[in-house]
Amino acid sequence: MASEQPLIHAMYPVKGFRLGTVEAGIRYPNRKDLVVMTWPEEASVAGVFTRNRFCAAPVELSRQRLAGAPCALVVNTGNANAGTGKQGLEDAETCTARLAEVLGCLPEQVLAFSTGVIGEYMPVPTLLSGLPACVERLAESEVAWYQAAEGIMTTDTRPKGESVCFEHEGAVYTLTGIAKGAGMIRPDMATMLAFIATDVSIEEALLQQVLNEATNRSFNRITVDGDTSTNDACLLVATGSAGNEHIVNTEQPLYRVLSEQVAMLCQRLAQSLVRDAEGATKFVSVVVEQAGSRQEALEVAYTVAHSPLVKTALFASDPNWGRILAAVGRANINDLDVASISIFLGDVCIVTDGGVEPDYREAAGQAVMDQVEIVIRIVLSRGGATETVWTSDLSHDYVSINAEYRT
């Protein structure tokens, strides 16, 4: 566990958003693995999905249905329904059609999300048998949110959720979200799965803009192992139940408040994934400052964060700063002047003028590396852009977890 900080806190219900969770036995017995969520038809819905070209059948289906006034979703663990071709898509359609029948809505209004083993066909009868019980348990309560957070877990060790009530012009609004993911995390859109709801009333196109911006500041800034899943998805639902003046443009003050609150909540969820990363013992912030552009800063940050040598040194608490220096040097940056780069471990300067800082002492670096939470700061001296990527170390347990995943 990369941090002792709690990964889930008080979960405030969002009026109009209901959740129901059961143990369907999709892959393992006595484990919550099937979740249904519903919301009013007039709600606004936004989503982002994986850029993996082998995207799972439920991703393909939900992406198509996002603009069709969806009002419900079903999510299962234990089976990703990815790499399953035409049969996988038919299975996703069958499951959503059955849920629509139970709820009394159109099949096209139901989204599907799955996570688990890739390349196996969905046990459709098992999933279908669990849907009525999910619907019976639909509730707006804190307990319903917590159970859903458990129900979407795979190799996660603990459920992950965040919630906030924020005030604007005398009115109080609620924002609550859950997420799962511990491995196969280097999202090219969002985490493996995240579901967020608010009671704010907002135009759907603007809600999508809020989610896109929040995603780029949070889920697109984390990496555990550099792998992008076939099933990544993040959904944001605005039920409109708060009764505010409907947000129709970005100049309305509540739009800016909501945008910032969603970004902060997504950032906390994203960081909770890294804190619970498979086998992780460290939570690491890689901060690149004074880059020529945001993309340049991210290129350097991800090169360091993805380096197996850097990640194993972090696991060993070894202040082997040469591995960090080498990773920075191989980043795909034109005309990188190594003599102008400074590198820090925490507040300890380890590199200046292209080599070791004259006053650096290994004991100081060791003191930083012994910590559970570490900041690696790289100053490029090329411009004014700064970006941060959050990552973890690479341990024996990560290898064991993934080597034994299907056994």
Side-chain angles (χ1 to χ4, degrees), residues 24 65 90 94 100 117 148 238 269 304 330 340 366 373 387-388 392:
R65 293 180 174 180
E90 291 176 355
T94 297
V117 175
L269 284 174
V304 173
R330 68 178 171 83
S340 66
Q366 186 66 63
E373 301 204 6
E387 285 290 346
T388 301
S392 58

Side-chain angles (χ1 to χ4, degrees), residues 69-291:
C71 62
L73 67 84
V74 55
V75 52
N76 72 273
T77 64
N79 187 301
N81 194 7
T84 49
K86 182 180 178 181
Q87 182 63 53
L89 189 58
E90 291 176 355
D91 289 344
E93 291 173 342
T94 297
C95 295
T96 55
R98 174 56 180 150
L99 179 56
E101 182 181 357
V102 176
L103 291 173
C105 65
L106 297 174
E108 293 77 16
Q109 292 180 287
V110 180
L111 309 180
F113 302 88
S114 300
T115 181
V117 175
I118 296 171
E120 296 182 1
Y121 291 117
M122 182 73 73
V124 174
T126 301
L127 192 151
L128 295 181
S129 67
L131 290 177
C134 279
V135 173
E136 288 177 5
R137 297 183 184 185
L138 286 172
E140 294 180 2
S141 67
E142 178 179 1
V143 171
W145 275 98
Y146 187 86
Q147 290 177 341
E150 291 182 312
I152 63 174
M153 292 167 52
T154 48
T155 58
D156 309 63
T157 68
R158 287 186 284 171
K160 304 167 181 69
E162 292 287 344
S163 192
V164 62
C165 288
F166 61 95
E167 186 175 348
H168 178 70
E169 296 182 347
V172 177
Y173 303 92
T174 304
L175 178 68
T176 299
I178 57 176
K180 64 82 51 186
M184 198 177 280
I185 298 291
R186 192 276 161 100
D188 279 327
M189 44 55 59
T191 183
M192 289 186 72
L193 289 178
F195 304 98
I196 305 165
T198 182
D199 52 7
V200 173
S201 177
I202 180 173
E203 197 72 21
E204 194 159 87
L206 294 179
L207 188 69
Q208 185 67 55
Q209 184 172 319
V210 166
L211 182 59
N212 290 345
E213 292 174 355
T215 297
N216 285 331
R217 295 168 60 183
S218 58
F219 298 124
N220 277 348
R221 297 293 181 266
I222 63 173
T223 180
V224 169
D225 46 23
D227 271 314
T228 296
S229 170
T230 55
N231 291 63
D232 291 342
C234 178
L235 200 73
L236 174 59
V237 177
T239 66
S241 56
N244 61 284
E245 180 184 355
H246 192 61
I247 301 174
V248 295
N249 65 69
T250 60
E251 300 305 312
Q252 290 173 255
L254 184 54
Y255 172 86
R256 295 190 292 273
V257 174
L258 176 65
S259 182
E260 193 59 36
Q261 291 292 334
V262 171
M264 288 191 294
L265 183 133
C266 287
Q267 190 172 104
R268 291 198 296 268
L269 284 174
Q271 291 180 5
S272 73
L273 303 182
V274 177
R275 295 184 192 281
D276 192 35
E278 291 171 343
T281 67
K282 308 280 188 180
F283 176 83
V284 185
S285 301
V286 183
V287 184
V288 178
E289 302 175 355
Q290 297 181 23

